Amino acid sequence: MTDSLLVSYAPATGEEVWRGAYGDVEAIVSKARKAWPGWAAKSLTTRIEVVRRFANEVRADKEKLATLIATETGKPLWEANTEVEAVIGKVEISVQAYAERTGRKRLDSAMQGIAAVRHKPHGVMAVLGPYNFPAHLPNGHMVPALIAGNVIVFKPSEKTPAVAEALVECWRRSGIDVDAVQLLVGGPNEGKALTLSADVDGVLFTGSAQAGISINRSLSTNPGKIVALEMGGNNPIVVTDTPKVVDAAAIIVQSAFTTAGQRCTAARRLIVVDAMYDGVMEQLLPLAKRLVVDEPFADPAPFMGPVIDNETADRLNESFLELMTRGGKPLLHMRRPDPERPFLTPGIIDTTTQEDRPDIELFGPVLQVIRVADLDAAIAEANNTRFGLSASLIGGSPEDYGRFWANARAGIINWNRPTNGASSDAPFGGIGLSGNHRPAAYYAADYCAYPVASNEMEQPRAKIGIGLSD
Ligand code: NAD
Ligand code: SIN
């Protein structure tokens, strides 16, 4: 009965990592629904105590969890370690964010009583996660949602169930109410059924624009559910005048190729002003060529591991060839050293002369280069996308950056810093096809609770002062 089981594999070796049954959506949601009143009724202090115990459980299991993340995603161990640190760090950040963004307000006035603003949880929150950060990104929804008094049904990526199970195990050990955090194993079908379930009050999604739009569409006649969509990008990195070309090349490499390009904020398009083009390429191409691509536990440590699976590697290869067919000039060919495994070396292709560049997210180590006349043309090209997640400017004066910041359409705009590596201390979200104006990270508190405004007096006190007949 293998067909009814979900199996995950290590991208680097092809070995099986996890095997288990698909979840029963309604049974799982129903358990969460029953757990909700009890969890919501707990004091905020108690809920915070539990999430802190969860952080301690993750801390205690740090190495095991990082090893599992590296195995199941293929990302290098050093990077998996930083993901686990982000999971732990999220707890204190969320405690602070809840107080700051959803704290209570009370205005006392003897005559008018009390005017109060307090927040309430939504209920059962469906958390749908991607494979590239299988712990950190779902956790980024789960922790603030639990602090606010919601319960969770977590549907991880079908490619990373083992990490999800380990994370949920940490919740169990934290002593959280039984059933307040549910794991739903499955793929897009289970995801669809979950988002449509009548007992789900909110959908917190991180993944591709394609899936996010499909969720948005399916819930368009249901305004009662809160929906936060954190989606992909076709992110630009612009290089204008700078004497620091070596540093510029390093920032471009970090932006485009960290996690084998499997970051939503990865730079997909390098837009270079004419005067900088040759100098940047002289530094960038040899540097990208030197990046070590290897299995996650290799010693010395690699810069990047494989992409998630062979199907993804095949698709990326085809996309690179397609760009070439449309007139792109390869500056660094993307190679696949082992045809049996999804390791890809960085690919860089100049698509300047291509007229109809596809505005899609190539979620892997592919960087398109576009040469433009000046900064104005670069900004116009940066905005030549339906997405709007991250954008960086390298070089230029403070005035240039001011112009870039004012005109670039994105939720994350950086200067002389990579497009990726966003901080959990800041809001994290995009516009256009990248999100629906419900940023995550520090602002996740906003979609985890809704405000209730109240006017309150201990006793009724009123009289009709006008418009009464004798
Ligand atoms: P994906 O969209 O394929 O899947 C994400 C999750 O949604 C999975 O759990 C999947 O099973 C589920 N799903 C897929 N189709 C669905 C549907 N129609 N209805 C309900 N659920 C559905 O994404 P992925 O391939 O796992 O992850 C990579 C994508 O995630 C990239 O596009 C990347 O840019 C994006 N991403 C975005 C952010 C962000 O915060 N903006 C962060 C990381 C990754
Ligand atoms: C991601 O969530 O995919 C990337 C986060 C970042 O590095 O900015």
Side-chain angles (χ1 to χ4, degrees):
M1 285 294 288
T2 315
D3 283 358
S4 61
L5 294 179
L6 188 148
V7 184
S8 79
Y9 300 93
T13 60
E15 279 162 19
E16 183 175 316
V17 177
W18 192 91
R19 171 179 292 254
Y22 285 81
D24 176 337
V25 178
E26 282 312 322
I28 287 173
V29 172
S30 153
K31 277 194 195 172
R33 166 65 54 195
K34 287 192 189 112
W36 180 48
W39 179 247
K42 294 215 153 49
S43 69
L44 177 61
T45 316
T46 304
R47 294 199 302 264
I48 289 175
E49 204 180 294
V50 173
V51 295
R52 284 186 169 141
R53 284 206 301 267
F54 161 76
N56 285 337
E57 291 301 329
V58 176
R59 209 173 270 119
D61 248 6
K62 220 155 124 165
E63 276 155 33
K64 218 166 102 196
L65 192 57
T67 303
L68 198 52
I69 292 171
T71 305
E72 205 174 37
T73 65
K75 68 174 70 172
L77 183 61
W78 60 263
E79 203 190 329
N81 279 322
T82 64
E83 178 165 355
V84 176
E85 288 304 331
V87 169
I88 297 167
K90 183 73 198 175
V91 165
E92 287 313 313
I93 288 172
S94 303
V95 170
Q96 195 187 325
Y98 184 82
E100 193 180 300
R101 300 200 58 84
T102 49
R104 292 168 172 225
K105 284 201 179 73
R106 206 178 116 120
L107 300 170
D108 291 318
S109 129
M111 295 304 290
Q112 304 297 330
I114 293 164
V117 179
R118 307 182 187 93
H119 289 78
K120 286 193 183 198
H122 297 281
V124 178
M125 299 296 247
V127 172
L128 296 126
Y131 63 77
N132 67 326
F133 278 97
H136 168 51
L137 290 173
N139 184 64
H141 295 302
M142 286 159 74
V143 169
L146 286 163
I147 290 176
N150 303 281
V151 294
I152 304 291
V153 178
F154 170 27
K155 212 295 290 163
S157 164
E158 54 281 16
K159 295 174 183 175
T160 53
V163 172
E165 188 181 63
L167 202 63
V168 170
E169 197 41 51
C170 290
W171 281 111
R172 299 252 175 283
R173 290 202 304 271
S174 75
I176 196 167
D177 296 16
V178 179
D179 296 336
V181 176
Q182 296 285 327
L183 176 64
L184 169 61
V185 169
N189 287 340
E190 285 69 24
K192 280 181 208 163
L194 175 63
T195 57
L196 292 173
S197 169
D199 263 335
V200 163
D201 302 287
V203 175
L204 310 181
F205 168 83
T206 308
S208 62
Q210 199 187 7
I213 290 166
S214 154
I215 291 171
N216 211 29
R217 194 173 290 134
S218 70
L219 296 177
S220 61
T221 53
N222 192 339
K225 283 190 197 198
I226 185 142
V227 180
L229 302 173
E230 318 301 337
M231 303 184 282
N234 188 12
N235 311 304
I237 185 162
V238 168
V239 182
T240 190
D241 303 333
T242 175
K244 309 261 292 178
V245 186
V246 173
D247 301 76
I251 293 172
I252 295 164
V253 159
Q254 284 168 359
S255 300
F257 302 123
T258 303
T259 328
Q262 298 172 113
R263 289 205 183 194
C264 56
T265 45
R268 309 289 173 205
R269 296 175 297 139
L270 167 62
I271 302 164
V272 195
V273 302
D274 211 28
M276 294 299 301
Y277 187 93
D278 291 340
V280 168
M281 291 312 147
E282 251 167 50
Q283 297 301 328
L284 174 64
L285 300 179
L287 184 63
K289 230 184 222 168
R290 285 175 53 209
L291 297 181
V292 175
V293 184
D294 206 342
E295 60 95 11
F297 306 100
D299 185 12
F303 180 84
M304 62 197 232
V307 295
I308 191 71
D309 53 25
N310 283 333
E311 204 190 340
T312 304
D314 290 344
R315 258 202 323 268
L316 287 161
N317 258 329
E318 279 162 24
S319 301
F320 198 84
L321 290 174
E322 169 79 10
L323 290 173
M324 285 169 63
T325 313
R326 286 165 175 253
K329 293 183 188 62
L331 302 172
L332 188 61
H333 273 282
M334 191 164 75
R335 288 182 302 103
R336 185 159 176 192
D338 176 356
E340 302 297 318
R341 301 268 33 96
F343 291 94
L344 294 173
T345 63
I348 303 180
I349 182 161
D350 188 323
T351 56
T352 307
T353 57
Q354 203 170 299
E355 273 175 16
D356 50 349
R357 274 178 229 111
D359 181 21
I360 52 173
E361 179 190 46
L362 296 180
F363 203 61
V366 180
L367 180 65
Q368 296 179 57
V369 183
I370 305 159
R371 185 175 185 152
V372 292
D374 53 26
L375 184 58
D376 284 334
I379 294 172
E381 190 55 55
N383 286 336
N384 187 14
T385 172
R386 299 159 300 161
F387 294 90
L389 189 51
S390 64
S392 281
L393 175 71
I394 311 300
S397 62
E399 291 70 30
D400 290 336
Y401 176 58
R403 200 142 52 91
F404 182 78
W405 193 93
N407 291 292
R409 284 201 317 270
I412 297 156
I413 301 179
N414 296 334
W415 188 26
N416 291 321
R417 302 288 298 153
T419 51
N420 52 11
S423 158
S424 299
D425 283 314
F428 181 77
I431 57 171
L433 292 189
S434 297
N436 66 338
H437 298 278
R438 296 207 186 277
Y442 202 75
Y443 281 16
D446 297 22
Y447 56 66
C448 290
Y450 65 94
V452 177
S454 305
N455 289 318
E456 300 164 348
M457 287 189 96
E458 289 216 351
Q459 297 293 335
R461 191 170 66 216
K463 64 180 179 203
I464 308 299
I466 194 165
L468 291 182
S469 60
D470 287 339

